[in-house]
Every structure is written in structure tokens, then in C-alpha cells.
Amino acid sequence: MRWGSMFAAGVLLGLCGLVGEAKAAPPADRDRRCLAMIAYAEAANEGALGMLAVMRVVHNRIADRSFADDACAVVLQRGQFQPVSEQPSLRQAMARPETANLAQAVGANTREARLRLVEAWRLAAVAAVWPARDPTGGALYFVNPRLMNPDLCPWFAKLKRSAVIGEHVFMREYGPGEAKAVPALACARAAAARSP
């Protein structure tokens, strides 16, 4: 058996718990499953760094008293994550991650998509502590200006931009006494990007 075939077989075996018959996951996997689903849904096309950044935002929110205290509750908070708001199957999977078929919930229907989901699953195991430096700069919010509702842009624009990763802009609130800089987003440009 060639190395590539052995690797593919290993990946497929690893996928059994993610895409196989829905069986109840151990309680410890609950947050990991929600992290993997939201990272995949928001940033699968942006690779490991993009997915890891989404997971770090979730962890930053867990650490902030303004948000829920576990990953599944954070991603289910109303109006916070566009894919969860727009995709009933994803929302249902987030509500009951223990029995969700992750690939089905996020629409990972191809081999390549399933490999990205496995990558999200692996990253979810370490996202709270790796890398040591948060690539989002402590962000609590992120948005892809090309895909956002332009009506929300003025609210995002008042925040402090902390990072840009892939097509996502990451933001946080200004700290006490921190001088406000340029707007986090250019709303005219965001509105133009959404126009047909």
C-alpha cells in the first residue's frame, strides 16, 4: 500500500465519528463538535488559520462575561453567526451536537470538504491554547465585508479592528481610555460589494 493510500485510509477512519452513523458523542466532545462546525461553516475556504481564528473568537467570547460560557451556547446566541442564523440544519446540529452528523450538518459532501472538516475537528482540540498568541488580537467579533448585511456595517465600524485573516475582519471593543482609530470597516465599500 502506498503512503498516499495509507494516509487516505487513516483520514477516512478518522471521519467515521464525524460522518458515519450518528451516535451519541461523549459529553467532553460537545464543545469540540460545535467549534468544528462553526469554524468549517464560517471559514473552511480560508484554511487552518481562518478556521482557527473563528474558534479563537468563540473562546474569547467564552472568557467574556457578556457571552455564554460554552462553545455551543456561544454559537447559538441569536444573530451572532450568519451560517447558524441562515441554515436550520446547522442550528439544529449545534443544539444537539452529541448526536449530529457533522458532515451532513455543514454540507461537507465531497472528499475535499470532508478533509477540511477533519482539519477543523483537529484544530478544535487545541484552539483554546494554540497558538499561544491569539491571531485575532483578542477579537470578539468578525465579519466578511463582502457577505455581511450592509445595515450592520455602522455597528461594526465603531469597533477596533484587531486583525484581518483571509476575507474576515476581526474586531473588538475599545478599552477604557483607548483612543479611537479609523472605522473598523468601510461601510460604503461593504454596501457596494453586496450590490448585484
Side-chain angles (χ1 to χ4, degrees):
M1 186 180 272
R2 294 187 350 212
W3 170 251
S5 299
M6 288 175 21
F7 175 75
V11 167
L12 290 175
L13 285 173
L15 279 171
C16 290
L18 302 179
V19 301
E21 194 129 338
K23 297 175 185 168
D29 282 347
R30 188 174 193 278
D31 272 9
R32 185 177 179 189
R33 294 170 73 82
C34 286
L35 282 171
M37 284 188 282
I38 197 60
Y40 180 92
E42 289 279 7
N45 63 335
E46 295 184 0
L49 184 58
M51 290 191 292
L52 183 62
V54 169
M55 292 182 206
R56 287 306 283 261
V57 167
V58 173
H59 280 289
N60 292 344
R61 287 183 175 198
I62 292 168
D64 188 292
R65 290 184 306 192
S66 303
F67 297 93
D69 60 0
D70 71 72
C72 297
V74 165
V75 299
L76 282 168
Q77 284 183 294
R78 187 180 168 128
Q80 297 298 306
F81 292 88
Q82 190 172 355
V84 177
S85 296
E86 295 177 353
Q87 299 171 25
S89 62
L90 181 58
R91 192 168 45 254
Q92 290 168 357
M94 294 290 189
R96 295 186 47 86
E98 302 87 1
T99 58
N101 176 311
L102 303 190
Q104 202 171 48
V106 299
N109 301 324
T110 66
R111 181 179 179 275
E112 181 182 324
R114 288 180 174 166
L115 289 173
R116 282 191 302 248
L117 181 57
V118 168
E119 184 175 31
W121 175 253
R122 289 180 178 155
L123 289 170
V126 298
V129 295
W130 181 84
R133 186 181 155 277
D134 178 355
T136 72
L140 293 174
Y141 311 97
F142 65 91
V143 68
N144 180 334
R146 285 187 322 100
L147 302 176
M148 72 179 292
N149 175 347
D151 296 338
L152 300 176
C153 192
W155 184 85
F156 282 116
K158 292 178 187 175
L159 298 171
K160 179 177 182 173
R161 181 185 291 209
S162 57
V164 176
I165 300 171
E167 294 190 29
H168 288 95
V169 177
F170 291 81
M171 297 155 281
R172 63 177 178 80
E173 294 172 9
Y174 283 94
E178 193 174 7
K180 297 199 177 185
V182 297
L185 296 175
C187 292
R189 197 174 312 147
R194 286 283 291 206
S195 299

